[in-house]
Amino acid sequence: MKNKNFKKYILAISIVILLFVGTFEVAGAEEALYDPTKLESPLTCTTIDDCFNRWTNMLIVFATPIYTVMLSIAGFYFILGGSTPAKRQKAKDILKYSTIGFLIVSFARGMVSFLLILV
């Protein structure tokens, strides 16, 4: 019974924090000059190196929040798993695989630069 109430409490706090942080992002967006009639092409790179840099930047921008969410999920599994070895192992696996994936994405720019030097 207490475990169910604790999960609801954690979920409510997480939602409030996410809404509170999102408020600051929306408030700061008013200052940006944005013209909705102009759509800039994402593939306006002049060299192949510039294209790879843009693609790796885009990968990092998308991977960072996903990695943060996966770390949070692993933390919840680890903390709320109690003495259940299966849940703790699942949390360790989530942490391990998400960290490996994020490191691959983080080192993508270096790998691409290294391959371009070799060619």
Side-chain angles (χ1 to χ4, degrees), residues 4-101:
K4 214 176 240 188
N5 290 335
F6 182 71
K7 288 180 182 179
K8 287 180 184 178
Y9 181 69
I10 294 295
L11 180 65
I13 288 175
S14 301
I15 290 172
V16 168
I17 289 172
L18 287 175
L19 291 176
F20 185 68
V21 171
T23 309
F24 288 115
E25 293 298 323
V26 173
E30 296 172 1
E31 298 173 7
L33 298 175
Y34 175 69
D35 187 8
T37 59
K38 292 183 180 178
L39 183 62
E40 200 175 308
S41 174
L43 297 176
T44 57
C45 45
T46 55
T47 64
I48 193 78
D49 189 35
D50 188 31
C51 286
F52 282 131
N53 283 335
R54 287 182 187 214
W55 291 338
T56 55
N57 284 341
M58 185 178 63
L59 276 174
I60 291 172
V61 165
F62 284 119
T64 303
I66 293 171
Y67 180 63
T68 306
V69 168
M70 294 308 290
L71 284 179
S72 300
I73 291 171
F76 280 125
Y77 271 114
F78 195 77
I79 291 172
L80 298 177
S83 62
T84 310
K87 288 187 179 180
R88 287 191 174 241
Q89 186 60 40
K90 187 173 186 177
K92 290 176 185 177
D93 289 342
I94 290 172
L95 179 66
K96 178 174 60 173
Y97 294 129
S98 60
T99 302
I100 290 171

Side-chain angles (χ1 to χ4, degrees), residues 97-116:
Y97 294 129
S98 60
T99 302
I100 290 171
F102 187 71
L103 286 175
I104 289 172
V105 170
S106 297
F107 292 129
R109 175 177 284 157
M111 287 186 272
V112 168
S113 298
F114 179 71
L115 290 175
L116 286 175

